[in-house]
PDB file of all heavy atoms in Angstrom:
ATOM      1  N   TRP P 259      13.057   5.854  13.042  1.00 91.00           N
ATOM      2  CA  TRP P 259      14.165   5.873  13.997  1.00 91.00           C
ATOM      3  C   TRP P 259      14.333   7.258  14.599  1.00 91.00           C
ATOM      4  O   TRP P 259      13.938   8.251  14.013  1.00 91.00           O
ATOM      5  CB  TRP P 259      15.470   5.511  13.298  1.00 91.00           C
ATOM      6  CG  TRP P 259      15.478   4.185  12.630  1.00 91.00           C
ATOM      7  CD1 TRP P 259      14.997   3.907  11.378  1.00 91.00           C
ATOM      8  CD2 TRP P 259      15.975   2.970  13.138  1.00 91.00           C
ATOM      9  NE1 TRP P 259      15.184   2.581  11.093  1.00 91.00           N
ATOM     10  CE2 TRP P 259      15.781   1.973  12.154  1.00 91.00           C
ATOM     11  CE3 TRP P 259      16.578   2.603  14.342  1.00 91.00           C
ATOM     12  CZ2 TRP P 259      16.164   0.657  12.333  1.00 91.00           C
ATOM     13  CZ3 TRP P 259      16.968   1.288  14.523  1.00 91.00           C
ATOM     14  CH2 TRP P 259      16.767   0.333  13.525  1.00 91.00           C
ATOM     15  N   GLU P 260      15.001   7.303  15.724  1.00 89.00           N
ATOM     16  CA  GLU P 260      15.389   8.537  16.399  1.00 89.00           C
ATOM     17  C   GLU P 260      16.926   8.550  16.456  1.00 89.00           C
ATOM     18  O   GLU P 260      17.513   8.243  17.495  1.00 89.00           O
ATOM     19  CB  GLU P 260      14.777   8.544  17.804  1.00 89.00           C
ATOM     20  CG  GLU P 260      14.846   9.850  18.496  1.00 89.00           C
ATOM     21  CD  GLU P 260      14.063   9.777  19.798  1.00 89.00           C
ATOM     22  OE1 GLU P 260      14.439   8.965  20.665  1.00 89.00           O
ATOM     23  OE2 GLU P 260      13.099  10.540  19.925  1.00 89.00           O
ATOM     24  N   PRO P 261      17.598   8.886  15.360  1.00 85.00           N
ATOM     25  CA  PRO P 261      19.049   8.700  15.290  1.00 85.00           C
ATOM     26  C   PRO P 261      19.888   9.696  16.083  1.00 85.00           C
ATOM     27  O   PRO P 261      20.988   9.359  16.495  1.00 85.00           O
ATOM     28  CB  PRO P 261      19.348   8.832  13.800  1.00 85.00           C
ATOM     29  CG  PRO P 261      18.269   9.705  13.278  1.00 85.00           C
ATOM     30  CD  PRO P 261      17.054   9.385  14.103  1.00 85.00           C
ATOM     31  N   LEU P 262      19.397  10.909  16.303  1.00 83.00           N
ATOM     32  CA  LEU P 262      20.239  11.918  16.948  1.00 83.00           C
ATOM     33  C   LEU P 262      20.322  11.797  18.454  1.00 83.00           C
ATOM     34  O   LEU P 262      21.318  12.173  19.049  1.00 83.00           O
ATOM     35  CB  LEU P 262      19.753  13.322  16.568  1.00 83.00           C
ATOM     36  CG  LEU P 262      19.852  13.653  15.077  1.00 83.00           C
ATOM     37  CD1 LEU P 262      19.342  15.057  14.820  1.00 83.00           C
ATOM     38  CD2 LEU P 262      21.264  13.486  14.572  1.00 83.00           C
ATOM     39  N   THR P 263      19.286  11.278  19.092  1.00 81.00           N
ATOM     40  CA  THR P 263      19.304  11.206  20.548  1.00 81.00           C
ATOM     41  C   THR P 263      19.629   9.810  21.057  1.00 81.00           C
ATOM     42  O   THR P 263      20.578   9.627  21.799  1.00 81.00           O
ATOM     43  CB  THR P 263      17.969  11.679  21.146  1.00 81.00           C
ATOM     44  OG1 THR P 263      16.907  10.923  20.567  1.00 81.00           O
ATOM     45  CG2 THR P 263      17.737  13.146  20.856  1.00 81.00           C
ATOM     46  N   SER P 264      18.854   8.823  20.632  1.00 78.00           N
ATOM     47  CA  SER P 264      19.053   7.489  21.199  1.00 78.00           C
ATOM     48  C   SER P 264      19.462   6.436  20.176  1.00 78.00           C
ATOM     49  O   SER P 264      20.008   5.407  20.526  1.00 78.00           O
ATOM     50  CB  SER P 264      17.766   7.021  21.885  1.00 78.00           C
ATOM     51  OG  SER P 264      16.753   6.825  20.914  1.00 78.00           O
ATOM     52  N   GLY P 265      19.142   6.679  18.911  1.00 77.00           N
ATOM     53  CA  GLY P 265      19.410   5.670  17.899  1.00 77.00           C
ATOM     54  C   GLY P 265      18.419   4.523  17.922  1.00 77.00           C
ATOM     55  O   GLY P 265      18.551   3.556  17.182  1.00 77.00           O
ATOM     56  N   ARG P 266      17.392   4.629  18.749  1.00 83.00           N
ATOM     57  CA  ARG P 266      16.439   3.530  18.871  1.00 83.00           C
ATOM     58  C   ARG P 266      15.336   3.628  17.821  1.00 83.00           C
ATOM     59  O   ARG P 266      15.022   4.701  17.335  1.00 83.00           O
ATOM     60  CB  ARG P 266      15.848   3.466  20.266  1.00 83.00           C
ATOM     61  CG  ARG P 266      14.920   4.596  20.608  1.00 83.00           C
ATOM     62  CD  ARG P 266      14.408   4.499  22.044  1.00 83.00           C
ATOM     63  NE  ARG P 266      13.563   5.624  22.343  1.00 83.00           N
ATOM     64  CZ  ARG P 266      12.247   5.615  22.271  1.00 83.00           C
ATOM     65  NH1 ARG P 266      11.618   4.517  21.918  1.00 83.00           N
ATOM     66  NH2 ARG P 266      11.532   6.682  22.556  1.00 83.00           N
ATOM     67  N   MET P 267      14.734   2.489  17.533  1.00 86.00           N
ATOM     68  CA  MET P 267      13.610   2.429  16.621  1.00 86.00           C
ATOM     69  C   MET P 267      12.347   2.839  17.370  1.00 86.00           C
ATOM     70  O   MET P 267      12.082   2.365  18.469  1.00 86.00           O
ATOM     71  CB  MET P 267      13.453   1.017  16.053  1.00 86.00           C
ATOM     72  CG  MET P 267      12.370   0.925  15.032  1.00 86.00           C
ATOM     73  SD  MET P 267      12.146  -0.696  14.252  1.00 86.00           S
ATOM     74  CE  MET P 267      12.785  -1.844  15.424  1.00 86.00           C
ATOM     75  N   LEU P 268      11.553   3.733  16.777  1.00 90.00           N
ATOM     76  CA  LEU P 268      10.330   4.220  17.408  1.00 90.00           C
ATOM     77  C   LEU P 268       9.095   3.457  16.951  1.00 90.00           C
ATOM     78  O   LEU P 268       8.156   3.282  17.713  1.00 90.00           O
ATOM     79  CB  LEU P 268      10.119   5.706  17.082  1.00 90.00           C
ATOM     80  CG  LEU P 268      11.207   6.662  17.522  1.00 90.00           C
ATOM     81  CD1 LEU P 268      10.908   8.066  17.023  1.00 90.00           C
ATOM     82  CD2 LEU P 268      11.332   6.648  19.035  1.00 90.00           C
ATOM     83  N   ARG P 269       9.104   3.029  15.704  1.00 93.00           N
ATOM     84  CA  ARG P 269       7.912   2.412  15.123  1.00 93.00           C
ATOM     85  C   ARG P 269       8.311   1.496  13.976  1.00 93.00           C
ATOM     86  O   ARG P 269       9.275   1.760  13.277  1.00 93.00           O
ATOM     87  CB  ARG P 269       6.997   3.522  14.609  1.00 93.00           C
ATOM     88  CG  ARG P 269       5.651   3.084  14.127  1.00 93.00           C
ATOM     89  CD  ARG P 269       4.802   4.302  13.823  1.00 93.00           C
ATOM     90  NE  ARG P 269       3.563   3.888  13.182  1.00 93.00           N
ATOM     91  CZ  ARG P 269       2.785   4.680  12.509  1.00 93.00           C
ATOM     92  NH1 ARG P 269       3.084   5.954  12.385  1.00 93.00           N
ATOM     93  NH2 ARG P 269       1.673   4.234  11.954  1.00 93.00           N
ATOM     94  N   GLU P 270       7.532   0.431  13.795  1.00 93.00           N
ATOM     95  CA  GLU P 270       7.778  -0.528  12.720  1.00 93.00           C
ATOM     96  C   GLU P 270       6.435  -0.858  12.061  1.00 93.00           C
ATOM     97  O   GLU P 270       5.470  -1.180  12.751  1.00 93.00           O
ATOM     98  CB  GLU P 270       8.413  -1.785  13.306  1.00 93.00           C
ATOM     99  CG  GLU P 270       8.767  -2.836  12.308  1.00 93.00           C
ATOM    100  CD  GLU P 270       9.476  -4.002  12.959  1.00 93.00           C
ATOM    101  OE1 GLU P 270       8.850  -4.684  13.803  1.00 93.00           O
ATOM    102  OE2 GLU P 270      10.644  -4.223  12.633  1.00 93.00           O
ATOM    103  N   MET P 271       6.377  -0.732  10.723  1.00 95.00           N
ATOM    104  CA  MET P 271       5.130  -0.953  10.000  1.00 95.00           C
ATOM    105  C   MET P 271       5.388  -1.917   8.842  1.00 95.00           C
ATOM    106  O   MET P 271       6.362  -1.751   8.111  1.00 95.00           O
ATOM    107  CB  MET P 271       4.601   0.382   9.450  1.00 95.00           C
ATOM    108  CG  MET P 271       4.347   1.372  10.557  1.00 95.00           C
ATOM    109  SD  MET P 271       4.675   3.138  10.261  1.00 95.00           S
ATOM    110  CE  MET P 271       5.990   3.297   9.179  1.00 95.00           C
ATOM    111  N   LYS P 272       4.521  -2.894   8.668  1.00 96.00           N
ATOM    112  CA  LYS P 272       4.683  -3.892   7.609  1.00 96.00           C
ATOM    113  C   LYS P 272       4.150  -3.334   6.289  1.00 96.00           C
ATOM    114  O   LYS P 272       2.970  -3.035   6.162  1.00 96.00           O
ATOM    115  CB  LYS P 272       3.943  -5.177   7.980  1.00 96.00           C
ATOM    116  CG  LYS P 272       4.029  -6.268   6.935  1.00 96.00           C
ATOM    117  CD  LYS P 272       5.425  -6.786   6.784  1.00 96.00           C
ATOM    118  CE  LYS P 272       5.465  -7.981   5.830  1.00 96.00           C
ATOM    119  NZ  LYS P 272       6.787  -8.300   5.371  1.00 96.00           N
ATOM    120  N   HIS P 273       5.033  -3.172   5.310  1.00 96.00           N
ATOM    121  CA  HIS P 273       4.649  -2.696   3.991  1.00 96.00           C
ATOM    122  C   HIS P 273       4.191  -3.848   3.106  1.00 96.00           C
ATOM    123  O   HIS P 273       3.177  -3.781   2.461  1.00 96.00           O
ATOM    124  CB  HIS P 273       5.806  -1.961   3.311  1.00 96.00           C
ATOM    125  CG  HIS P 273       5.543  -1.640   1.877  1.00 96.00           C
ATOM    126  ND1 HIS P 273       4.967  -0.458   1.491  1.00 96.00           N
ATOM    127  CD2 HIS P 273       5.725  -2.356   0.749  1.00 96.00           C
ATOM    128  CE1 HIS P 273       4.823  -0.466   0.176  1.00 96.00           C
ATOM    129  NE2 HIS P 273       5.280  -1.600  -0.290  1.00 96.00           N
ATOM    130  N   GLY P 274       4.972  -4.894   3.054  1.00 90.00           N
ATOM    131  CA  GLY P 274       4.717  -6.031   2.158  1.00 90.00           C
ATOM    132  C   GLY P 274       6.047  -6.544   1.641  1.00 90.00           C
ATOM    133  O   GLY P 274       6.937  -6.824   2.427  1.00 90.00           O
ATOM    134  N   PRO P 275       6.202  -6.618   0.322  1.00 88.00           N
ATOM    135  CA  PRO P 275       7.491  -7.053  -0.218  1.00 88.00           C
ATOM    136  C   PRO P 275       8.574  -5.988   0.008  1.00 88.00           C
ATOM    137  O   PRO P 275       8.300  -4.910   0.520  1.00 88.00           O
ATOM    138  CB  PRO P 275       7.217  -7.269  -1.694  1.00 88.00           C
ATOM    139  CG  PRO P 275       6.015  -6.475  -1.999  1.00 88.00           C
ATOM    140  CD  PRO P 275       5.217  -6.378  -0.719  1.00 88.00           C
ATOM    141  N   ARG P 276       9.755  -6.279  -0.417  1.00 93.00           N
ATOM    142  CA  ARG P 276      10.925  -5.406  -0.230  1.00 93.00           C
ATOM    143  C   ARG P 276      10.585  -3.944  -0.533  1.00 93.00           C
ATOM    144  O   ARG P 276       9.967  -3.625  -1.537  1.00 93.00           O
ATOM    145  CB  ARG P 276      12.053  -5.877  -1.142  1.00 93.00           C
ATOM    146  CG  ARG P 276      13.330  -5.091  -1.038  1.00 93.00           C
ATOM    147  CD  ARG P 276      14.440  -5.731  -1.855  1.00 93.00           C
ATOM    148  NE  ARG P 276      14.096  -5.913  -3.252  1.00 93.00           N
ATOM    149  CZ  ARG P 276      14.447  -5.070  -4.230  1.00 93.00           C
ATOM    150  NH1 ARG P 276      15.140  -3.989  -3.947  1.00 93.00           N
ATOM    151  NH2 ARG P 276      14.110  -5.323  -5.473  1.00 93.00           N
ATOM    152  N   VAL P 277      10.983  -3.043   0.361  1.00 95.00           N
ATOM    153  CA  VAL P 277      10.727  -1.610   0.213  1.00 95.00           C
ATOM    154  C   VAL P 277      11.885  -0.979  -0.552  1.00 95.00           C
ATOM    155  O   VAL P 277      13.046  -1.134  -0.175  1.00 95.00           O
ATOM    156  CB  VAL P 277      10.545  -0.925   1.588  1.00 95.00           C
ATOM    157  CG1 VAL P 277      10.308   0.564   1.429  1.00 95.00           C
ATOM    158  CG2 VAL P 277       9.406  -1.577   2.362  1.00 95.00           C
ATOM    159  N   VAL P 278      11.550  -0.258  -1.630  1.00 96.00           N
ATOM    160  CA  VAL P 278      12.592   0.345  -2.465  1.00 96.00           C
ATOM    161  C   VAL P 278      12.650   1.866  -2.355  1.00 96.00           C
ATOM    162  O   VAL P 278      13.604   2.478  -2.813  1.00 96.00           O
ATOM    163  CB  VAL P 278      12.432  -0.069  -3.949  1.00 96.00           C
ATOM    164  CG1 VAL P 278      12.623  -1.564  -4.103  1.00 96.00           C
ATOM    165  CG2 VAL P 278      11.089   0.363  -4.515  1.00 96.00           C
ATOM    166  N   LEU P 279      11.616   2.486  -1.740  1.00 97.00           N
ATOM    167  CA  LEU P 279      11.587   3.940  -1.621  1.00 97.00           C
ATOM    168  C   LEU P 279      10.758   4.347  -0.409  1.00 97.00           C
ATOM    169  O   LEU P 279       9.684   3.781  -0.179  1.00 97.00           O
ATOM    170  CB  LEU P 279      10.960   4.568  -2.878  1.00 97.00           C
ATOM    171  CG  LEU P 279      10.813   6.086  -2.865  1.00 97.00           C
ATOM    172  CD1 LEU P 279      12.128   6.726  -3.276  1.00 97.00           C
ATOM    173  CD2 LEU P 279       9.708   6.517  -3.812  1.00 97.00           C
ATOM    174  N   VAL P 280      11.251   5.301   0.363  1.00 98.00           N
ATOM    175  CA  VAL P 280      10.477   5.962   1.419  1.00 98.00           C
ATOM    176  C   VAL P 280      10.711   7.459   1.288  1.00 98.00           C
ATOM    177  O   VAL P 280      11.838   7.888   1.068  1.00 98.00           O
ATOM    178  CB  VAL P 280      10.843   5.485   2.851  1.00 98.00           C
ATOM    179  CG1 VAL P 280      10.381   4.079   3.113  1.00 98.00           C
ATOM    180  CG2 VAL P 280      12.313   5.620   3.143  1.00 98.00           C
ATOM    181  N   ARG P 281       9.623   8.254   1.392  1.00 97.00           N
ATOM    182  CA  ARG P 281       9.739   9.707   1.319  1.00 97.00           C
ATOM    183  C   ARG P 281       8.713  10.351   2.236  1.00 97.00           C
ATOM    184  O   ARG P 281       7.549   9.976   2.233  1.00 97.00           O
ATOM    185  CB  ARG P 281       9.486  10.235  -0.100  1.00 97.00           C
ATOM    186  CG  ARG P 281      10.572   9.952  -1.090  1.00 97.00           C
ATOM    187  CD  ARG P 281      11.831  10.773  -0.804  1.00 97.00           C
ATOM    188  NE  ARG P 281      12.858  10.493  -1.778  1.00 97.00           N
ATOM    189  CZ  ARG P 281      13.781   9.544  -1.676  1.00 97.00           C
ATOM    190  NH1 ARG P 281      13.805   8.761  -0.623  1.00 97.00           N
ATOM    191  NH2 ARG P 281      14.674   9.357  -2.593  1.00 97.00           N
ATOM    192  N   HIS P 282       9.167  11.354   2.989  1.00 97.00           N
ATOM    193  CA  HIS P 282       8.278  12.134   3.845  1.00 97.00           C
ATOM    194  C   HIS P 282       7.562  13.202   3.020  1.00 97.00           C
ATOM    195  O   HIS P 282       8.113  13.706   2.036  1.00 97.00           O
ATOM    196  CB  HIS P 282       9.080  12.846   4.938  1.00 97.00           C
ATOM    197  CG  HIS P 282       9.517  11.954   6.037  1.00 97.00           C
ATOM    198  ND1 HIS P 282      10.718  11.272   6.006  1.00 97.00           N
ATOM    199  CD2 HIS P 282       8.916  11.622   7.202  1.00 97.00           C
ATOM    200  CE1 HIS P 282      10.838  10.570   7.123  1.00 97.00           C
ATOM    201  NE2 HIS P 282       9.760  10.759   7.861  1.00 97.00           N
ATOM    202  N   SER P 283       6.367  13.572   3.463  1.00 96.00           N
ATOM    203  CA  SER P 283       5.672  14.712   2.880  1.00 96.00           C
ATOM    204  C   SER P 283       6.416  15.978   3.308  1.00 96.00           C
ATOM    205  O   SER P 283       7.161  15.964   4.295  1.00 96.00           O
ATOM    206  CB  SER P 283       4.221  14.750   3.343  1.00 96.00           C
ATOM    207  OG  SER P 283       4.145  14.904   4.735  1.00 96.00           O
ATOM    208  N   PRO P 284       6.229  17.094   2.593  1.00 95.00           N
ATOM    209  CA  PRO P 284       6.942  18.330   2.954  1.00 95.00           C
ATOM    210  C   PRO P 284       6.696  18.795   4.392  1.00 95.00           C
ATOM    211  O   PRO P 284       7.580  19.370   5.008  1.00 95.00           O
ATOM    212  CB  PRO P 284       6.405  19.355   1.954  1.00 95.00           C
ATOM    213  CG  PRO P 284       6.012  18.536   0.768  1.00 95.00           C
ATOM    214  CD  PRO P 284       5.476  17.244   1.347  1.00 95.00           C
ATOM    215  N   ASP P 285       5.507  18.522   4.936  1.00 94.00           N
ATOM    216  CA  ASP P 285       5.239  18.941   6.320  1.00 94.00           C
ATOM    217  C   ASP P 285       5.640  17.881   7.347  1.00 94.00           C
ATOM    218  O   ASP P 285       5.484  18.069   8.540  1.00 94.00           O
ATOM    219  CB  ASP P 285       3.779  19.330   6.507  1.00 94.00           C
ATOM    220  CG  ASP P 285       2.810  18.160   6.374  1.00 94.00           C
ATOM    221  OD1 ASP P 285       3.253  17.018   6.087  1.00 94.00           O
ATOM    222  OD2 ASP P 285       1.600  18.388   6.549  1.00 94.00           O
ATOM    223  N   GLY P 286       6.146  16.728   6.903  1.00 92.00           N
ATOM    224  CA  GLY P 286       6.625  15.679   7.790  1.00 92.00           C
ATOM    225  C   GLY P 286       5.547  14.843   8.454  1.00 92.00           C
ATOM    226  O   GLY P 286       5.854  13.972   9.256  1.00 92.00           O
ATOM    227  N   SER P 287       4.286  15.066   8.106  1.00 93.00           N
ATOM    228  CA  SER P 287       3.194  14.351   8.777  1.00 93.00           C
ATOM    229  C   SER P 287       2.906  12.985   8.165  1.00 93.00           C
ATOM    230  O   SER P 287       2.297  12.141   8.806  1.00 93.00           O
ATOM    231  CB  SER P 287       1.917  15.187   8.758  1.00 93.00           C
ATOM    232  OG  SER P 287       1.435  15.317   7.431  1.00 93.00           O
ATOM    233  N   ARG P 288       3.328  12.782   6.940  1.00 95.00           N
ATOM    234  CA  ARG P 288       3.060  11.511   6.261  1.00 95.00           C
ATOM    235  C   ARG P 288       4.322  10.979   5.620  1.00 95.00           C
ATOM    236  O   ARG P 288       5.284  11.691   5.382  1.00 95.00           O
ATOM    237  CB  ARG P 288       1.982  11.697   5.199  1.00 95.00           C
ATOM    238  CG  ARG P 288       0.654  12.047   5.820  1.00 95.00           C
ATOM    239  CD  ARG P 288      -0.477  11.624   4.948  1.00 95.00           C
ATOM    240  NE  ARG P 288      -1.729  11.780   5.680  1.00 95.00           N
ATOM    241  CZ  ARG P 288      -2.688  12.589   5.304  1.00 95.00           C
ATOM    242  NH1 ARG P 288      -2.560  13.299   4.213  1.00 95.00           N
ATOM    243  NH2 ARG P 288      -3.789  12.660   6.014  1.00 95.00           N
ATOM    244  N   LEU P 289       4.253   9.686   5.329  1.00 97.00           N
ATOM    245  CA  LEU P 289       5.375   8.992   4.702  1.00 97.00           C
ATOM    246  C   LEU P 289       4.793   8.063   3.643  1.00 97.00           C
ATOM    247  O   LEU P 289       3.786   7.395   3.876  1.00 97.00           O
ATOM    248  CB  LEU P 289       6.123   8.168   5.758  1.00 97.00           C
ATOM    249  CG  LEU P 289       7.326   7.371   5.295  1.00 97.00           C
ATOM    250  CD1 LEU P 289       8.506   8.311   5.061  1.00 97.00           C
ATOM    251  CD2 LEU P 289       7.692   6.315   6.324  1.00 97.00           C
ATOM    252  N   VAL P 290       5.408   8.027   2.482  1.00 97.00           N
ATOM    253  CA  VAL P 290       4.987   7.092   1.452  1.00 97.00           C
ATOM    254  C   VAL P 290       6.086   6.043   1.301  1.00 97.00           C
ATOM    255  O   VAL P 290       7.270   6.348   1.400  1.00 97.00           O
ATOM    256  CB  VAL P 290       4.692   7.799   0.104  1.00 97.00           C
ATOM    257  CG1 VAL P 290       5.941   8.405  -0.510  1.00 97.00           C
ATOM    258  CG2 VAL P 290       4.022   6.857  -0.874  1.00 97.00           C
TER     259      VAL P 290
END
């Protein structure tokens, strides 16, 4: 999401079953 400017969703990716955790890498380039 882009919450500060538009609040719109930028991208959507299918993980699988219910997602219980998301975390960015320290440099912000990756997400687990």
Side-chain angles (χ1 to χ4, degrees):
W259 302 83
E260 192 173 62
L262 297 180
T263 55
S264 67
R266 69 182 178 97
M267 184 178 25
L268 300 175
R269 187 173 172 198
E270 182 176 64
M271 300 144 328
K272 179 66 174 165
H273 171 91
R276 181 173 56 97
V277 179
V278 296
L279 178 83
V280 290
R281 288 290 181 270
H282 284 89
S283 62
D285 67 358
S287 67
R288 294 206 171 118
L289 180 75
V290 66

